Amino acid sequence: MSIIIKNCISILDAKWFGINPEATIDNISIDSRSLQNSTHTLFFALVGPNNDAHHYIKDLIENGVKNFVVTHVPPNCEDSANFLIVENTLAALQQFAAYYRSLFEFPIIGLTGSNGKTIVKEWLNFLLSPDYNVIRSPKSYNSQVGVPLSVIAINEKHNLGIFEAGISTVSEMDKLETIIKPTIGVLTNIGSSHDEGFADLEEKIQQKMLLFQDAEVLIYQKSAQIEKHISAKTKAFSWSFKDENANVFVFKKEIASHETTLFYTYKGNSYELKIPFIDKASIENAISCLMVLLYFDYESDAIQSRMEMLFPVEMRLEVKNGINNCTIIDDSYSSDFQSLKIALDVLESQNQFQKKTVILSDIFQSGFPNEQLYAKVAQLIVSNKINRVIGIGTTISEFKDTFSNCITFKTTAEFISNFEKLDFSNESILIKGARSFQFEEIVTLLEEKTHETVLEINLNAISYNLNFFKSKLKPKVKIMVMVKAFGYGNGGLEIAKLLEHHKVDYLGVAFADEGISLKNGGIKLPIMVLNPESTSFSAIIQYGLEPEIYSLKGLHAFLKIAKQKNLSHFPIHIKLDTGMHRLGFEENTVDEMIAILKGNTNVRVQSILSHMATSDDSKYYDFALSQIVLYDKLSSKIMTELEIHPIRHILNTSGISNFPDTQFDMVRLGIGLYGVSNDAEEQKKLENVGTLKSIISQIRTIPAGDSVGYGRRFMADKQTKVATIPIGYADGIARAWGNGVGYVTIKEQKATILGSVCMDMLMVDVTEIDCAEGDEVIIFGENPNVSFIAEKLNTIPYEILTSISQRVKRVFYR
Ligand SMILES: *Cc1c(COP(=O)(O)O)cnc(C)c1O
């Protein structure tokens, strides 16, 4: 891409406010953290319900970015950059993408449907890339933001595009259609997902079909409901299991243990096709691919030889713990230029270590001659401050000298035999390779080996939940997030990093040690320590943590040290006891506290807080209100007498939901961030964050009359299939969850726990479940969820979450 900024004025219908209209743009960004932002980046400052990228513009200018699309010019930036002022920056991004798309004429396959879009896209890419330079949407970039970003990556070397479009409500598809302008349409299927956004199925179909309004052909599973909406200029190219009149009639399926043979007629002839899947969804997705190949006039032999190589699509960029304290970012199934850029951004956002290594295979289908391609890759590597590149493949080996610190191997096997010599420690490692290189073997080598139980943390769900609660806050109300007890068991540092990125105002921890480990991990946000022991005051000061002071004794002790160290205005937080009776100044000690603080310059009252005992319980609504009233009274008095304006805060998660009018200046979000609510209705609106998973170690069948486990506490009354799972009470599974009370989920079915939970293992009933040793087991997550388990065990979700032992490995993913 090379566009002169002044030309964007008319493309975007923008107002110009700038210093250099001749500046050239060669890439687009919406991500303020990306190290790929440069002088030639055009940055679109998107505005979300809770996040406004205009806040980052000043920093970006300092880092050399010079061109922005904005709704207004932020203060003090007027003379230092070019601004294109528009009404809506997202609409402008879409307009820009539509303009950019119009510069290219090659065929574009547009995919939509309720399920299977990403899989069909990835498979088509695999099937067609031997013959085309394909540009496709990376991962599942199919939204109002994702589609423009995908399209903007087209360049003059591509000759086929594959883009997916996803919508969740009316009026979205029209916008995506003008950006993608598909010439070939593929409707994968119409299921029931996302129905909320549409009045009914009819409307959903009609909206999805808008993507194909100008297409020359539409591929779909034959149905009259769809055909009503095919426009006159579009040719129908349909398939069916039932209707002989479809262009492709699949009249028989033979399902064997690992493959399916399809028998179909096309243009009067019969054919057979074997595909390596047996489930219904994969079969339908494979037929969508078959249709595209037929439309492109591939011979049946070529179709067979390519389709038998189809593979399951793993779409997640996973962050894993590695050997020797490394962090691994596993993207071991694709290697094109565009997805490399995205993976590098993820590496950067992880930001765990200074030292960064990229293990990279040959890159395919860029369309560029290799010299040019690897020069561009080298440039990316430099801007992302990568210390070392390990190239694997014959082509990247030839271009070794393009990179400054690069070792190469011709094959993955050669890398593996040299593995011991390559020192990997205390660094972040991105593993990025085309499927044929089988980099999963490298991931296995580098991954830290513990037992097979993991707690998977969905970082996107955390962002989602944060935004859910932020949307309940009045303007200007700040947010402190509680990350005590290792982020409620979910992982302290990783979550703190994410929260720092989201610019929350404060973090809260229980003890000084927790705060110190966050500061050592590079967290810069202010951190309040709820329960600082006086022995930790020195460390608190040294690490710049902020203590909660809750008694006269604590106040005297802290002031003494503050004076010795000659501190000036060191921030402290005053905790009031308004009825919880846990920690805090009682009403009758407030006057003395005020007298002590009056005139003191060693410390500054940064905030005044209190904590509610019953914010989640409507039965004690009046009591909760009385706490708020007393808090308001005491904190007002302190403010008046000391003539200060500290941050005031009292609400925790349930408080945010139940007392929206008393947010004061800040709220303290805890359990809600981790996807748990004390309210059943609200629970439905949050996303599940943690999934505790394990595998089946062994399966056996026992006859009626035999028993399972210690104390023979389960007696089989019929022949029973028993699976053993390597997780027990030492991992934090309550013993009370055993003996028929609790269950785990295997293949989406309930498997009841048989007998007592052991220290490191438990046994479940899989008599009715078709499963094998090594299969995945869900201990908790979507089902059963933590709230359900807590209720059955007569406890609260907090206890379930924080009981999961530290020996269970945490894996973070987006
Ligand atoms: C833990 C804690 C919170 C957060 O409570 P949630 O119910 O998890 O939202 C807030 N304030 C204080 C003082 C806490 O100890």
Side-chain angles (χ1 to χ4, degrees):
M1 166 183 312
S2 179
I3 294 180
I4 296 172
I5 184 107
K6 70 176 178 207
N7 295 341
C8 296
I9 302 173
S10 60
I11 297 170
L12 302 181
D13 305 320
K15 281 210 210 66
W16 168 256
F17 190 100
I19 51 176
N20 176 15
E22 300 300 327
T24 54
I25 301 301
D26 65 13
N27 73 46
I28 296 298
S29 171
I30 58 163
D31 178 357
S32 60
R33 287 172 303 170
S34 176
L35 292 175
Q36 292 152 33
N37 294 330
S38 74
T39 336
H40 299 294
T41 298
L42 178 58
F43 185 87
F44 284 76
L46 299 188
V47 181
N50 309 296
N51 214 343
D52 182 350
H54 290 81
H55 297 324
Y56 302 99
I57 289 179
K58 208 151 187 284
D59 293 352
L60 284 164
I61 291 177
E62 270 161 33
N63 289 322
V65 181
K66 290 216 154 18
N67 303 288
F68 297 91
V69 177
V70 294
T71 58
H72 59 274
V73 179
N76 310 322
C77 295
E78 294 83 357
D79 307 328
S80 31
N82 293 323
F83 292 96
L84 293 160
I85 303 171
V86 298
E87 210 153 285
N88 177 325
T89 46
L90 173 60
L93 176 67
Q94 295 172 337
Q95 228 167 315
F96 185 86
Y99 161 78
Y100 188 70
R101 159 72 179 93
S102 72
L103 304 176
F104 300 91
E105 301 238 311
F106 54 79
I108 299 249
I109 301 175
L111 295 146
T112 195
S114 300
N115 302 299
K117 300 182 280 292
T118 306
I119 293 169
V120 174
K121 180 195 71 192
E122 291 302 319
W123 283 354
L124 284 176
N125 172 55
F126 170 80
L127 295 165
L128 295 168
S129 60
D131 310 311
Y132 294 90
N133 282 322
V134 180
I135 170 78
R136 71 189 195 284
S137 4
K139 307 283 160 194
S140 16
Y141 271 40
N142 62 25
S143 66
Q144 298 289 311
V145 177
V147 168
L149 293 179
S150 306
V151 166
I152 286 164
I154 303 178
N155 67 48
E156 58 283 6
K157 302 293 183 197
H158 295 120
N159 54 20
L160 176 67
I162 312 177
F163 296 107
E164 52 171 295
I167 56 169
S168 50
T169 183
V170 289
S171 88
E172 292 182 345
M173 192 57 97
D174 255 336
K175 294 181 195 148
L176 299 186
E177 193 273 339
T178 44
I179 304 170
I180 300 177
K181 280 278 166 222
T183 53
I184 299 165
V186 178
L187 182 65
T188 56
N189 76 348
I190 294 282
S192 61
S193 66
H194 294 300
D195 270 342
E196 318 87 58
F198 304 96
D200 51 27
L201 185 66
E202 181 70 34
E203 182 177 83
K204 182 159 104 169
I205 295 176
Q206 181 247 334
Q207 288 292 319
K208 295 210 186 235
M209 292 293 287
L210 290 175
L211 178 62
F212 310 122
Q213 56 191 280
D214 276 335
E216 62 188 43
V217 60
L218 173 66
I219 291 168
Y220 64 104
Q221 183 169 9
K222 194 164 174 58
S223 118
Q225 234 180 345
I226 290 170
E227 281 163 358
K228 269 201 296 210
H229 299 286
I230 300 183
S231 74
K233 61 182 145 190
T234 304
K235 182 174 148 207
F237 190 50
S238 64
W239 65 274
S240 178
F241 289 126
K242 294 185 289 228
D243 188 341
E244 287 176 56
N245 296 321
N247 300 79
V248 169
F249 174 42
V250 183
F251 58 92
K252 190 166 129 199
K253 287 185 284 201
E254 260 175 28
I255 301 185
S257 66
H258 294 292
E259 59 180 26
T260 303
T261 311
L262 301 172
F263 300 84
Y264 66 91
T265 56
Y266 175 53
K267 291 190 176 165
N269 295 319
S270 296
Y271 302 91
E272 260 183 60
L273 174 65
K274 269 196 180 47
I275 51 170
F277 297 99
I278 56 171
D279 63 290
K280 180 165 173 278
S282 300
I283 293 171
E284 292 189 3
N285 291 333
I287 296 174
S288 292
C289 293
L290 164 69
M291 296 298 289
V292 174
L293 296 185
L294 290 173
Y295 185 73
F296 278 54
D297 281 333
Y298 279 86
E299 300 289 338
S300 64
D301 289 350
I303 294 178
Q304 179 62 68
S305 65
R306 289 187 194 185
M307 290 201 46
E308 71 196 10
M309 312 246 300
L310 288 182
F311 46 88
V313 174
E314 181 57 75
M315 271 140 346
R316 299 189 321 194
L317 261 172
E318 273 189 289
V319 183
K320 301 174 171 169
N321 290 334
I323 54 169
N324 307 326
N325 196 29
C326 291
T327 297
I328 300 175
I329 294 160
D330 175 3
D331 194 7
S332 59
Y333 97 109
S334 72
S335 87
D336 52 285
F337 188 69
Q338 187 60 13
S339 67
L340 175 64
K341 288 173 90 167
I342 294 171
L344 285 168
D345 276 342
V346 172
L347 179 70
E348 176 54 25
S349 69
Q350 209 48 29
N351 189 20
Q352 198 116 333
F353 298 105
Q354 286 284 320
K355 201 166 133 198
K356 291 184 272 188
T357 293
V358 173
I359 303 179
L360 185 64
S361 77
D362 289 348
I363 292 181
F364 296 131
Q365 52 180 110
S366 74
F368 287 102
N370 284 332
E371 288 86 72
Q372 216 176 327
L373 168 67
Y374 286 98
K376 281 169 65 148
V377 174
Q379 210 183 339
L380 266 188
I381 296 288
V382 171
S383 62
N384 280 280
K385 307 200 167 93
I386 305 298
N387 307 77
R388 134 171 104 152
V389 176
I390 299 177
I392 299 178
T394 44
T395 317
I396 196 165
S397 296
E398 275 174 47
F399 289 91
K400 182 177 169 181
D401 297 337
T402 324
F403 303 93
S404 61
N405 182 10
C406 181
I407 323 163
T408 55
F409 301 96
K410 295 257 160 41
T411 61
T412 306
E414 195 188 320
F415 167 87
I416 290 172
S417 60
N418 284 282
F419 183 72
E420 296 302 327
K421 291 179 222 146
L422 300 160
D423 168 40
F424 291 101
S425 66
N426 299 306
E427 61 193 301
S428 302
I429 307 168
L430 170 65
I431 302 176
K432 177 113 188 90
R435 260 188 70 76
S436 55
F437 284 86
Q438 297 185 324
F439 274 11
E440 57 274 13
E441 293 180 25
I442 299 179
V443 174
T444 312
L445 275 179
L446 280 169
E447 208 177 351
E448 188 185 36
K449 280 148 211 79
T450 46
H451 67 319
E452 281 97 351
T453 299
V454 294
L455 179 57
E456 285 193 349
I457 310 294
N458 180 347
L459 294 172
N460 287 354
I462 292 190
S463 305
Y464 179 91
N465 296 336
L466 176 68
N467 286 334
F468 172 81
F469 286 100
K470 271 192 179 171
S471 72
K472 293 175 175 268
L473 302 186
K474 302 199 177 129
K476 302 238 167 84
V477 173
K478 296 182 192 311
I479 189 160
M480 173 185 284
V481 178
M482 307 311 287
V483 292
K484 60 196 185 196
F486 197 56
Y488 288 45
N490 293 283
L493 183 58
E494 291 77 5
I495 291 175
K497 289 217 150 120
L498 182 67
L499 295 169
E500 185 156 82
H501 164 67
H502 284 297
K503 295 193 184 258
V504 306
D505 301 281
Y506 257 93
L507 297 178
V509 296
F511 299 104
D513 284 351
E514 296 176 310
I516 291 170
S517 81
L518 295 181
K519 288 283 179 193
N520 280 337
I523 297 296
K524 307 231 162 37
L525 281 175
I527 301 175
M528 183 181 83
V529 181
L530 289 171
N531 199 349
E533 286 123 30
S534 39
T535 48
S536 65
F537 282 163
S538 288
I540 285 188
I541 293 166
Q542 185 193 335
Y543 283 90
L545 302 169
E546 304 180 10
E548 172 185 294
I549 302 293
Y550 54 82
S551 66
L552 291 171
K553 185 161 160 248
L555 182 60
H556 282 301
F558 193 78
L559 287 180
K560 190 168 155 203
I561 295 199
K563 190 157 177 215
Q564 276 167 8
K565 297 201 188 261
N566 213 1
L567 301 183
S568 165
H569 302 284
F570 193 89
I572 62 171
H573 300 260
I574 296 291
K575 173 79 155 282
L576 302 174
D577 179 10
T578 55
M580 173 84 178
H581 298 337
R582 183 170 73 176
L583 293 179
F585 287 93
E586 285 160 39
E587 184 167 11
N588 61 15
T589 59
V590 166
D591 285 332
E592 192 173 344
M593 178 246 294
I594 292 174
I596 296 169
L597 283 171
K598 204 161 225 163
N600 184 303
T601 56
N602 294 128
V603 298
R604 170 183 86 232
V605 178
Q606 177 73 4
S607 88
I608 305 177
L609 68 150
S610 187
H611 193 48
M612 295 168 73
T614 61
S615 63
D616 59 337
D617 193 344
S618 55
K619 189 163 84 221
Y620 291 115
Y621 186 79
D622 291 344
F623 178 78
L625 269 190
S626 76
Q627 277 201 276
I628 293 173
V629 169
L630 181 58
Y631 169 71
D632 190 22
K633 177 178 130 188
L634 296 181
S635 56
S636 302
K637 175 172 180 173
I638 299 169
M639 295 201 299
T640 316
E641 297 196 11
L642 290 178
E643 295 174 60
I644 53 173
H645 298 281
I647 304 168
R648 294 202 293 164
H649 47 121
I650 186 166
L651 301 182
N652 65 342
T653 302
S654 309
I656 298 172
S657 306
N658 297 333
F659 297 89
D661 297 327
T662 57
Q663 295 171 352
F664 294 95
D665 308 308
M666 182 158 81
V667 297
R668 299 188 305 274
L669 177 65
I671 193 99
L673 184 80
Y674 309 100
V676 177
S677 169
N678 298 310
D679 178 271
E681 275 311 300
E682 187 169 86
Q683 180 66 60
K684 290 189 205 145
K685 299 188 187 140
L686 298 178
E687 284 195 2
N688 182 60
V689 170
T691 304
L692 181 59
K693 286 184 172 174
S694 190
I695 59 158
I696 300 177
S697 307
Q698 196 179 23
I699 295 183
R700 77 190 72 243
T701 299
I702 59 167
D706 274 19
S707 62
V708 175
Y710 286 120
R712 305 196 71 187
R713 278 183 282 267
F714 172 77
M715 292 281 186
D717 58 4
K718 56 180 194 322
Q719 180 172 304
T720 304
K721 193 162 81 167
V722 182
T724 303
I725 299 159
I727 184 168
Y729 60 77
D731 300 291
I733 306 302
R735 276 187 85 249
W737 192 231
N739 292 312
V741 176
Y743 68 90
V744 302
T745 301
I746 299 173
K747 304 237 156 168
E748 299 181 6
Q749 293 168 69
K750 279 187 194 180
T752 305
I753 300 179
L754 300 177
S756 295
V757 174
C758 309
M759 185 186 289
D760 310 303
M761 277 169 273
L762 53 81
M763 281 72 85
V764 299
D765 182 352
V766 291
T767 311
E768 302 297 328
I769 303 178
D770 179 18
C771 58
E773 292 174 359
D775 279 353
E776 182 179 274
V777 177
I778 310 271
I779 320 295
F780 67 64
E782 303 266 4
N783 176 28
N785 71 34
V786 177
S787 303
F788 175 83
I789 298 176
E791 196 183 310
K792 290 280 173 237
L793 293 179
N794 248 321
T795 179
I796 50 174
Y798 301 74
E799 182 174 275
I800 308 284
L801 280 178
T802 54
S803 298
I804 301 309
S805 116
Q806 285 305 308
R807 83 174 182 187
V808 175
K809 179 165 121 182
R810 271 69 174 170
V811 177
F812 300 88
Y813 71 95
R814 285 162 198 278

